[in-house]
Amino acid sequence: MAATMISLTRTHAARLGTASATRAMTAREKDAGRPCARASYIPIPESILFVAIPFLIALAGLGCAHAAGTGNGTAAGSQGVNEDYTQWYTGSLVSPSGALTKKGVFAWEPYFAYSQPVGNLDSVGRAAPIKDRAHMVSSFTLYKYSITNSISLQMTPTISYGWRHGNYGGTTSGAKMGDLPVDVMWRYLDADPRRYIPALSLFVGVAFPAGDYTKLGRAEDGVGTGTYTFRVALTEQSTYTLPGHHELRLRTWGTFRRALTQAHIADISSYGTSAGFRGLAHPGMYGESGFSLEYGVNQKWVIAMDLARDWANGSRVRGYNAQGKYQNVLGQASGDWVIAPAVEYNWSPRFGIIAGVTAIFAGHNTGQVISPQFAFNSVF
């Protein structure tokens, strides 16, 4: 059940590529306080397509998938049908898990990650020298509780600490808490192996503006958006039994985010503004689609791999700088491709660990980041 509606690696990449503090913000710090040309936006039809991908894959697989439930362990019903033993999973690094399948189950999964910048990708995807080495260590924890056999609540707080090398040297003033996502998860289609039907889930939620974003003592402290953000996701999960009684679990997903409010910003902010600025900011829409594979070597050991595509429209910043001049800045749209190989070890149906690396290997207007990660998964 690993993974998340938030990618720490991609959040950090947004900082590298655009000097902004969250995945949703893409206004460059060098452009703050001056007009810029209108950036290209990801069209709405393409946004819808990203979210619809899990449905398309799920429908295509109805005739051939040997499906299982969602989650990890007996309580969560995630095992494939194996004649010799029940397969145990922790879950891949990036893929969102669906709703738990038994009322009253509680899942807890802390992640720990270090982000290492290795380069920048320009507007056409060419690698460029890195000037702002913005390192970060993060702790992301997933809390999930099943209200019914098909509906769960999920909360995912994040704490991070960052520092920079080079001309922009500096650190955060301490450990910083980011915005707080809270989601309701509904598994509207249960897995039925006999009819080759996968499990399908819908997530709906809001990210609350808990992170610092305005009147900052230093730019590195900007870890929030200052807005309430609507979140929706569709997920699919199915399990195939391969020759030799090895289980192969497939997950596909699509997510979409849109800010519901504007942020009132002043002075130094997450949006790259400087002292004396007063105005409003509105993060651009952003989202992700991808798939993961988890191959059971034996009951306890699993090899996992994620491949995901992210996109984000630029943030709009409007207001007056310290000289009283009106500014209207729109950041550039960005996108990236992420791969995340990992190894899982589960010593029981309820407890397991995962360790791996997420890496941005292609994209535009973003940073190239390698992020070693590990997590502990538990279900009670």
Side-chain angles (χ1 to χ4, degrees):
M1 162 179 5
T4 121
M5 303 277 290
I6 298 176
S7 170
L8 298 176
T9 301
R10 291 183 293 282
T11 299
H12 187 61
R15 297 189 188 203
L16 291 173
T18 60
S20 53
T22 67
R23 187 66 185 88
M25 304 173 201
T26 53
R28 294 178 182 265
E29 184 173 359
K30 69 177 183 181
D31 291 329
R34 76 176 73 159
C36 73
R38 183 173 183 82
S40 60
Y41 264 54
I42 305 295
I44 295 298
E46 184 176 346
S47 304
I48 297 173
L49 177 61
F50 277 122
V51 178
I53 285 176
F55 274 130
L56 300 177
I57 296 178
L59 291 174
L62 288 179
C64 60
H66 190 64
T70 60
N72 181 55
T74 302
S78 156
Q79 299 78 16
V81 180
N82 192 305
E83 296 178 3
D84 300 324
Y85 57 80
T86 298
Q87 181 67 55
W88 298 335
Y89 298 99
T90 294
S92 65
L93 285 176
V94 179
S95 65
S97 60
L100 298 169
T101 59
K102 185 177 180 181
K103 179 181 178 180
V105 172
F106 174 72
W108 176 67
E109 187 171 16
Y111 279 76
F112 302 91
Y114 165 70
S115 295
Q116 168 67 49
V118 295
N120 286 322
L121 297 170
D122 64 16
S123 59
V124 295
R126 293 175 302 193
I130 185 169
K131 298 179 180 179
D132 182 5
R133 294 189 175 273
H135 303 255
M136 182 173 65
V137 290
S138 305
S139 174
F140 162 92
T141 305
L142 180 149
Y143 301 92
K144 185 185 294 188
Y145 179 77
S146 53
I147 302 174
T148 71
N149 291 344
S150 59
I151 298 176
S152 299
L153 288 177
Q154 177 175 278
M155 181 173 64
T156 52
T158 302
I159 297 176
S160 63
Y161 178 80
W163 66 96
R164 302 184 184 213
H165 296 311
N167 295 332
Y168 300 95
T171 68
T172 56
S173 57
K176 310 297 292 186
M177 182 175 179
D179 291 347
L180 179 63
V182 178
D183 301 299
V184 177
M185 311 165 66
W186 172 42
R187 191 180 58 264
Y188 59 90
L189 182 63
D190 289 325
D192 187 345
R194 291 171 298 179
R195 298 173 60 194
Y196 306 105
I197 296 175
L200 300 179
S201 293
L202 170 69
F203 295 33
V204 178
V206 173
F208 294 87
D212 293 340
Y213 68 95
T214 186
K215 295 183 178 179
L216 305 175
R218 58 188 79 176
E220 290 80 8
D221 283 343
V223 295
T225 64
T227 64
Y228 291 86
T229 303
F230 172 71
R231 302 155 51 83
V232 64
L234 301 172
T235 69
E236 177 273 346
Q237 180 174 287
S238 54
T239 302
Y240 303 78
T241 300
L242 302 181
H245 304 298
H246 297 283
E247 300 300 329
L248 180 67
R249 187 166 73 171
L250 167 70
R251 285 176 174 174
T252 62
W253 72 91
T255 68
F256 177 77
R257 311 283 184 269
R258 185 185 181 94
L260 299 174
T261 59
Q262 298 186 101
H264 292 265
I265 55 176
D267 301 320
I268 299 173
S269 74
S270 294
Y271 297 85
T273 56
S274 56
F277 185 88
R278 297 291 185 276
L280 298 171
H282 191 277
M285 297 181 295
Y286 60 109
E288 176 186 89
S289 60
F291 74 92
S292 71
L293 295 173
E294 294 173 88
Y295 175 76
V297 179
N298 55 38
Q299 186 180 41
K300 295 183 177 181
W301 288 95
V302 177
I303 299 173
M305 190 279 293
D306 296 273
L307 180 66
R309 163 67 175 171
D310 293 287
W311 59 268
N313 289 330
S315 298
R316 170 75 71 177
V317 178
R318 304 188 303 274
Y320 294 88
N321 63 16
Q323 290 73 43
K325 183 179 180 181
Y326 180 73
Q327 308 295 327
N328 190 343
V329 180
L330 179 63
Q332 294 293 315
S334 64
D336 58 61
W337 287 90
V338 179
I339 191 169
V343 176
E344 307 171 23
Y345 177 74
N346 305 275
W347 56 88
S348 79
R350 294 170 51 196
F351 300 104
I353 58 174
I354 182 171
V357 176
T358 60
I360 295 176
F361 64 91
H364 66 281
N365 291 331
T366 191
Q368 290 181 295
V369 178
I370 295 176
S371 179
Q373 302 182 27
F374 73 92
F376 168 74
N377 182 55
S378 57
V379 180
F380 303 95

